[in-house]
Amino acid sequence: MLLSLLLFIALLVAVLYYRPSLQLGSIILIIGTFVLTAYSQAMWLVLFPTLVIAAILNIPRWREQALTKPAYQLLRRSMPSMSKTEREALEAGTTWWEKELFSGQPDWEVFAEIDLPRLSEREQSFLDNEVEQLCQLVDEWDIEQRRDLSPEAWDFLRQNGFFGLIIPEEFGGLNFSPYAQSRIMSKIASKSPTTAVTAMVPNSLGPGELLVKYGTEEQKQHWLPGLANGTELPCFGLTGPEAGSDAGSIPDIGVVCKGEFNGEEVLGLKLTFNKRWITLAPVASVIGLAFKLRDPEGLLGDPNTVDYGITCALLPANHPGIEIGRRHNPGAPFMNGPIKGEDIFIPIDWIIGGAAMVGKGWRMLIECLGAGRGVSLPSLATAGSEMCYLTVGAFARIRRQFNMEIGKFEGVQEATAEIAAGAYTLEAMRQLVTRGLEDGAPAVLTAMAKYHATERMRQIVNHAMDVVGGRAIQLGPRNFLAIMYHTMPVAITVEGANILTRSLMIFGQGSMRCHPLLFEELQALQLDDEQAGLAAFEPLLLAHLGHSSNNAARTLVYGLSSGRGSPLPVDTDAFSKPWYEKINHLSAALAICSDVALGTLGGSLKRRELLSARLGDIHSELLIASSLLKYRNTQQQCEANDVHAHYALQNSLHNAQQALLAFCDNFPQRWLGVALRVLCLPIGRRYKAPDDKQVRLLGKLIMEPNPVRQAMKQYVFLSDNPEDAVGRVETTYQALLKVDPAWQAFSRARSKGELGDASANLDSSLEEAVQQGVISEADVLPLKDYDRRRFDCVLTDDFDKL
């Protein structure tokens, strides 16, 4: 009996795994069960339900009564109605590789066709010249003291097109790719986060992008040339005192009416708004504004519609009635402040896109948030992480305690290994995400990028602060970490607070946009005509059952084999093969867990934010792992590259596994959670965190001039000026590399008391070291120069008064 039952389960798994047609699969199962029954009479207990289920699935009338109608009624009651705003948010943007990962069956041939982005000659020239010059011009400590960019920096930004990176060339802009925008912002941020934020806003969520995509020709001709050359400086008013991450709840109102403009009576609207936290508001000359539009008198031509929903308009900042308030203080000195107005009349033509775009603002904003979420904020995070890699890695080798480089202490290596892997991860993410943005506006992808890039930056910067210690907390022009530390909360908070981005957006949008059937099913369930809804729902339900059962079978098979034998890209090398297989396993596990959660919890899953966040974490980590594989394969093939990639991949898949376990362990129906855990991880935890050996290896590598460090240098501005914060560390590090063998020999001999009195000055000790043959005469002057640099490098600033 036991053997027959195991063979039946194997047959069932095989049918579900290979997924033949419903009829063929039913025949195979029935014949197989009959054969097994001949060997074990007890298999009649399996044969009878197999026949009943096969009959229900294959006979249309039985299927409708026993399966389709009950499922339809149950889901129709449990699924919440979809508001216009929610529908617009779900329909906005596109999907990309993240959809393949969510399906449970990623098509690796599609992935193989993805080429990471490259800069054009014009973009590379801009980085090498204009961006380089800007970085040399600005100084973050000076900006911090004056609480603003210098007039020279403002002029340089305007005169060199930094505010028009996304504007088409026909309007005077540069029309750079998302990757170029990210590289530009990263390089600026590596020298001055405040300057980067200032340049970033006009090129992310703001009037420029909205005008390019949706503006009328007249609006484009009027505004875009000024925005491109910097004579017009924009801001965008979306958030307010009671509408932050929930931007759809904005209370700001525009009421359609007639009024006087330029001496004539025209159709327009009266605006009342109160916005907060608006970057560039204190210096803006043009204001983009989001508000809810009402037309109580039917002046727009539709007497049946009063509430049109969110709409976007463009107003000159000096328009009568607009009040730009005093500056906020977000912890970094970029311009940020409130704007408000009451009963301000504007003509209807000031709506972006004109009257035709009334009520379509939410969709416009969702599609345009991609630049902020996918380009701007991840570029800040990537720059911060790479600067931590370069500066903290160097400092950990320069700074000595107990006569040893602090970077050789295992406790420190635990932090520096995370910095190294994190910086490598963020660069890989940046390249894949900006490639995705070239193909459209993938809302789920960019939400993942924003959340995980900024969260990883937070972890990396905190690790960096721990390593550098007191040197990092004393403010002053020598400090290469503090400004980054102060700026970090801004990236965590804006463009959707990270908590809500993780707990609501990534899986909430991801399940609807990335699932191959869910959105269509929801539309069928919400049809007013029940018969039409039932007819549309049945084929979707059957397809969904096939999709879920196939994913369940593959999850079990891959869980037992760690994905071995699953589909791979062609020409996969030995390093990448096991990682692709593990991603296949976790992708299938994500798909079946998502289906079970959606099927059993329905609309209440919205409120189960801890569960949905964990599913979003699995999805995100699979995307991150994909980006790591793609990036690793484009870099110089060497041991250092593989060590970084291996650590980062292991970390990412371990994180995905932990999220999967937490999801199963906390599932409301405990028996179902246990079943899912057994299905997904039938032989227990498969994906371990990096071990101590990997920590030591990567902790050592971050201090060395390895190829990964050399690659990161091209993405940032790494000063060689020994008088500024970063340049002081970098030039000292380079000096150490030149004298390191002699310095190590001298330090060891001195610590052992082999050079006479341990309290002797450096000159005496060096002279003794030459006499004993520890170093050569030629080493003395370079070692003296290095020791001077070393001591200067570990000093902190002090002031007469504060």
Side-chain angles (χ1 to χ4, degrees):
M1 173 61 185
L2 180 59
L3 178 60
S4 296
L5 186 60
L6 290 174
L7 289 172
F8 172 79
I9 293 172
L11 177 63
L12 176 62
V13 170
V15 168
L16 298 178
Y17 184 93
Y18 289 105
R19 200 176 177 182
S21 67
L22 176 60
Q23 292 79 11
L24 179 58
S26 300
I27 291 170
I28 293 171
L29 275 176
I30 290 170
I31 293 174
T33 310
F34 266 116
V35 171
L36 292 172
T37 304
Y39 287 94
S40 173
Q41 293 299 312
M43 284 299 293
W44 280 103
L45 296 174
V46 176
L47 177 61
F48 179 71
T50 301
L51 290 171
V52 171
I53 293 171
I56 290 173
L57 290 175
N58 285 277
I59 300 174
R61 189 190 308 173
W62 292 13
R63 182 172 65 225
E64 181 178 327
Q65 293 301 317
L67 177 64
T68 309
K69 269 190 176 180
Y72 178 80
Q73 297 295 344
L74 175 65
L75 293 172
R76 192 175 168 90
R77 288 192 302 269
S78 65
M79 287 293 181
S81 60
M82 190 185 304
S83 68
K84 178 185 175 184
T85 300
E86 288 177 311
R87 184 180 296 275
E88 287 180 345
L90 290 172
E91 292 176 346
T94 59
T95 55
W96 196 57
W97 178 245
E98 74 282 9
K99 185 169 185 174
E100 291 286 337
L101 293 168
F102 194 88
S103 73
Q105 305 175 53
D107 186 341
W108 292 110
E109 298 310 315
V110 170
F111 186 71
E113 294 298 316
I114 297 173
D115 292 324
L116 292 183
R118 295 185 179 185
L119 298 172
S120 68
E121 288 186 17
R122 197 164 61 92
E123 291 167 342
Q124 186 66 61
S125 174
F126 191 82
L127 264 173
D128 294 340
N129 294 285
E130 285 86 349
V131 177
E132 185 80 11
Q133 293 167 34
L134 176 64
C135 290
Q136 292 173 351
L137 177 64
V138 296
D139 177 83
E140 190 68 9
W141 179 252
D142 176 70
I143 294 170
E144 181 76 23
Q145 300 311 296
R146 67 169 75 224
R147 308 303 295 170
D148 192 5
L149 273 64
S150 68
E152 295 79 11
W154 277 109
D155 288 343
F156 191 90
L157 287 168
R158 288 189 171 96
Q159 292 167 11
N160 290 277
F162 281 88
F163 297 133
L165 301 180
I166 63 171
I167 295 175
E169 292 179 71
E170 63 188 282
F171 299 106
L174 296 174
N175 196 32
F176 282 165
S177 67
Y179 179 59
Q181 295 171 47
S182 177
R183 287 283 303 275
I184 290 165
M185 294 306 161
S186 272
K187 189 164 184 176
I188 299 171
S190 67
K191 182 66 185 297
S192 168
T194 302
T195 307
V197 171
T198 302
M200 177 191 304
V201 170
N203 293 293
S204 54
L205 175 61
E209 187 174 9
L210 292 169
L211 283 171
V212 169
K213 291 187 176 180
Y214 309 106
T216 65
E217 191 59 34
E218 182 180 357
Q219 289 171 339
K220 292 177 182 179
Q221 295 293 342
H222 179 78
W223 289 112
L224 289 179
L227 292 171
N229 64 29
T231 55
E232 299 286 0
L233 196 61
C235 69
F236 194 89
L238 177 59
T239 53
E242 298 191 75
S245 295
D246 182 16
S249 69
I250 57 176
D252 312 289
I253 293 293
V255 179
V256 179
C257 61
K258 291 186 177 180
E260 185 174 318
F261 183 73
N262 288 341
E264 297 180 11
E265 185 181 66
V266 299
L267 182 65
L269 50 146
K270 278 191 176 180
L271 286 172
T272 296
F273 56 91
N274 187 357
K275 304 290 188 181
R276 291 292 185 274
W277 317 305
I278 310 304
T279 302
L280 295 189
V283 292
S285 63
V286 56
I287 297 171
L289 202 66
F291 54 89
K292 288 181 176 175
L293 186 72
R294 302 187 76 250
D295 183 17
E297 299 179 36
L299 297 176
L300 293 176
D302 184 356
N304 297 317
T305 303
V306 174
D307 295 310
Y308 278 85
I310 295 176
T311 302
C312 298
L314 201 58
L315 294 68
N318 60 4
H319 187 64
I322 293 179
E323 181 181 339
I324 296 180
R326 298 182 298 173
R327 287 177 64 178
H328 298 313
N329 184 358
F334 60 86
M335 292 291 176
N336 189 270
I339 53 175
K340 64 180 181 178
E342 185 171 353
D343 290 336
I344 296 173
F345 182 80
I346 66 169
I348 203 80
D349 292 343
W350 286 10
I351 291 175
I352 297 176
M357 298 303 291
V358 162
K360 297 180 180 179
W362 186 236
R363 180 166 188 154
M364 294 160 59
L365 292 171
I366 290 293
E367 292 183 344
C368 289
L369 278 170
R373 287 183 177 149
V375 176
S376 298
L377 294 171
S379 72
L380 286 184
T382 304
S385 69
E386 289 172 340
M387 290 304 291
C388 284
Y389 186 111
L390 296 168
T391 56
V392 177
F395 188 83
R397 187 158 179 179
I398 295 166
R399 176 75 165 152
R400 299 173 70 90
Q401 293 286 274
F402 305 102
N403 200 43
M404 185 169 72
E405 298 95 328
I406 62 170
K408 290 184 178 178
F409 288 93
E410 290 189 359
V412 172
Q413 287 177 336
E414 188 174 25
T416 55
E418 287 293 313
I419 293 172
Y424 189 90
T425 299
L426 291 191
E427 185 56 49
M429 280 180 65
R430 182 247 292 277
Q431 298 209 16
L432 189 68
V433 170
T434 53
R435 174 63 183 84
L437 283 166
E438 290 182 4
D439 290 344
V444 178
L445 179 75
T446 54
M448 291 175 176
K450 189 271 177 180
Y451 171 75
H452 287 278
T454 55
E455 283 296 328
R456 273 172 165 76
M457 178 188 71
R458 178 181 0 215
Q459 296 163 8
I460 289 167
V461 174
N462 281 331
H463 283 315
M465 294 291 289
D466 287 346
V467 173
V468 181
R471 175 72 168 78
I473 63 171
Q474 301 295 339
L475 297 179
R478 290 172 172 267
N479 196 318
F480 54 87
L481 279 179
I483 301 297
M484 194 185 309
Y485 183 78
H486 290 169
T487 307
M488 181 175 61
V490 176
I492 298 293
T493 303
V494 300
E495 302 284 13
N498 272 14
I499 289 176
L500 292 184
T501 299
R502 173 178 178 256
S503 60
L504 291 177
M505 290 184 57
I506 294 175
F507 182 76
Q509 277 191 304
S511 60
M512 289 293 181
R513 294 308 311 274
C514 297
H515 196 286
L517 299 160
L518 188 60
F519 189 54
E520 292 178 76
E521 288 174 321
L522 193 56
Q523 289 179 308
L525 290 168
Q526 294 190 347
L527 288 175
D528 294 331
D529 186 335
E530 188 168 325
Q531 282 303 116
L534 195 60
F537 177 71
E538 184 176 63
L540 294 170
L541 176 62
L542 289 176
H544 200 148
L545 290 173
H547 172 78
S548 296
S549 58
N550 176 249
N551 277 325
R554 285 184 306 100
T555 298
L556 179 61
V557 172
Y558 295 166
L560 291 169
S561 67
S562 205
R564 291 183 182 87
S566 59
L568 301 173
V570 294
D571 300 325
T572 301
D573 65 10
F575 176 92
S576 302
K577 181 177 181 291
W579 300 110
Y580 284 122
E581 292 171 339
K582 292 169 184 176
I583 292 172
N584 283 334
H585 170 217
L586 290 171
S587 174
L590 167 65
I592 189 59
C593 287
S594 298
D595 275 344
V596 169
L598 290 162
T600 58
L601 300 177
S604 68
L605 187 57
K606 267 186 175 182
R607 299 185 295 276
R608 300 277 188 171
E609 294 174 20
L610 294 172
L611 293 178
S612 63
R614 288 163 186 147
L615 292 173
D617 288 345
I618 302 169
H619 195 187
S620 300
E621 293 294 352
L622 295 181
L623 179 87
I624 292 168
S626 299
S627 71
L628 285 163
L629 285 168
K630 180 67 73 172
Y631 180 68
R632 177 259 173 191
N633 291 334
T634 64
Q635 298 302 294
Q636 176 185 343
Q637 299 304 293
C638 60
E639 182 183 3
N641 187 38
D642 285 354
V643 169
H644 283 78
H646 190 279
Y647 189 108
L649 282 160
Q650 194 165 340
N651 209 29
S652 187
L653 295 188
H654 174 73
N655 291 341
Q657 177 183 255
Q658 294 304 101
L660 177 62
L661 288 168
F663 171 84
C664 295
D665 291 345
N666 290 279
F667 203 73
Q669 291 87 354
R670 290 295 305 121
W671 68 270
L672 195 49
V674 171
L676 283 172
R677 179 165 180 161
V678 172
L679 176 68
C680 296
L681 297 165
I683 56 176
R685 300 168 189 252
R686 302 298 301 265
Y687 310 120
K688 297 179 180 179
D691 59 27
D692 291 354
K693 182 179 178 181
Q694 291 172 278
V695 168
R696 289 191 292 268
L697 185 55
L698 200 50
K700 179 183 177 184
L701 270 175
I702 194 176
M703 297 192 295
E704 298 177 356
N706 67 79
V708 174
R709 168 182 281 271
Q710 296 305 116
M712 285 186 184
K713 286 183 178 182
Q714 68 180 305
Y715 302 125
V716 298
F717 179 83
L718 192 61
S719 172
D720 58 1
N721 178 2
E723 299 301 317
D724 70 24
V726 171
R728 179 175 282 106
V729 176
E730 177 61 17
T731 56
T732 303
Y733 175 68
Q734 294 301 327
L736 171 59
L737 294 178
K738 293 176 182 177
V739 301
D740 191 53
W743 178 253
Q744 294 286 356
F746 171 72
S747 298
R748 282 195 300 271
R750 198 180 195 191
S751 67
K752 292 178 181 179
E754 296 174 357
L755 303 180
D757 188 353
S759 63
N761 61 39
L762 180 68
D763 290 348
S764 299
S765 296
L766 287 171
E767 183 178 338
E768 183 68 24
V770 172
Q771 291 175 359
Q772 294 190 24
V774 174
I775 60 174
S776 69
E777 186 67 40
D779 293 324
V780 173
L781 287 179
L783 287 178
K784 283 184 178 181
D785 178 67
Y786 169 69
D787 188 66
R788 177 187 59 79
R789 288 173 176 269
R790 177 199 61 78
F791 185 73
D792 180 66
C793 191
V794 300
L795 292 176
T796 55
D797 296 287
D798 52 77
F799 306 91
D800 290 334
K801 59 181 180 178
L802 294 176

